[in-house]
Amino acid sequence: MENKGRTQTERSETSRAALIAAARTLFAERGYASVSTPEIVAAAGLTRGALYHQFADKTALFQAVVERVEGEVMRRVQHVVGEGGGRDPLAALVSGAEAWLEACADPRVQRIVLIDAPAVLGWAHWREIGHRYGLGLVVATLRHAMDLGLIPDQPVAPLAHALVGAIDEAALYIAAAQEPGPARAEMAAVLRRLVRALADST
């Protein structure tokens, strides 16, 4: 019985991963509204019953895709921040923000995370997902900067929320821009000035 249970668990995990991967590709190419559940299960090589065994509906599957993309992007950002955060946490904040903007320059990330997610999941839920993946990193980096005396000691949570909001707005601005390249360069410069302003206030 124990071996059978593990086999069933593994089979379920494989089906879930296949559905997320297939849905991710289709959502990135055509957008949430233009993709049907029969298309998703066909691309995954599964049945509709398998989909509804794993997810309540298409929206729940889409949320799983959003979480997968957010997690991958934030692991890249964490790597960048971690490389320089110990020596210069403010420079690491800038590098992390630029890594986020670089990831969001990918049209597939834009479509799923920046365009469809707020509309499909609702603004508040979209923000909650983003904060769950990224806010802790910003809080920790700002706290480290305060401990080093690089910025004034102050309540870290509101400062982190304001900074994350600015970074998210920068990504949305780039996603909506007619010329994303120049928009990204402009927003990167804005974020660098914002972070420098934190240090200038000491």
Side-chain angles (χ1 to χ4, degrees):
M1 288 295 293
E2 188 176 348
N3 288 338
K4 183 179 179 182
R6 281 201 299 267
T7 301
Q8 289 173 339
T9 298
E10 290 168 358
R11 191 181 304 121
S12 178
E13 290 173 351
T14 299
S15 296
R16 183 180 180 87
L19 288 164
I20 290 173
R24 178 176 178 171
T25 298
L26 292 170
F27 290 148
E29 290 174 351
R30 291 159 44 201
Y32 176 87
S34 298
V35 176
S36 67
T37 52
E39 290 177 290
I40 293 169
V41 296
L46 296 168
T47 64
R48 293 189 71 185
L51 188 153
Y52 291 114
H53 178 73
Q54 296 290 336
F55 302 99
D57 52 25
K58 189 174 81 162
T59 301
L61 173 56
F62 178 72
Q63 178 175 328
V65 170
V66 172
E67 300 243 9
R68 178 67 56 86
V69 176
E70 283 271 6
E72 291 175 1
V73 171
M74 284 312 304
R75 281 192 289 275
R76 281 185 265 168
V77 172
Q78 287 167 357
H79 176 73
V80 169
V81 172
E83 283 187 325
R87 299 185 304 276
D88 188 344
L90 292 182
L93 275 176
V94 172
S95 297
E98 291 178 345
W100 169 248
L101 296 184
E102 180 181 359
C104 291
D106 183 334
R108 296 166 297 182
V109 175
Q110 284 184 10
R111 165 64 72 177
I112 291 170
V113 175
L114 300 178
I115 297 172
D116 281 349
V120 175
L121 303 178
W123 185 267
H125 194 179
W126 173 69
R127 296 288 286 183
E128 183 274 326
I129 292 172
H131 285 176
R132 180 153 34 90
Y133 281 92
L135 186 62
L137 177 64
V138 176
V139 167
T141 308
L142 288 171
R143 183 73 264 171
H144 185 41
M146 292 177 195
D147 291 343
L148 294 177
L150 298 176
I151 59 177
D153 194 34
Q154 59 192 286
V156 70
L159 181 59
H161 275 268
L163 190 55
V164 168
I167 294 168
D168 282 346
E169 283 298 321
L172 291 168
Y173 177 85
I174 295 166
Q178 294 293 321
E179 298 183 43
R184 179 178 155 196
E186 291 167 355
M187 275 301 181
V190 168
L191 293 175
R192 283 194 294 270
R193 288 194 294 271
L194 284 175
V195 173
R196 280 201 302 268
L198 296 178
D200 292 342
S201 64
T202 55

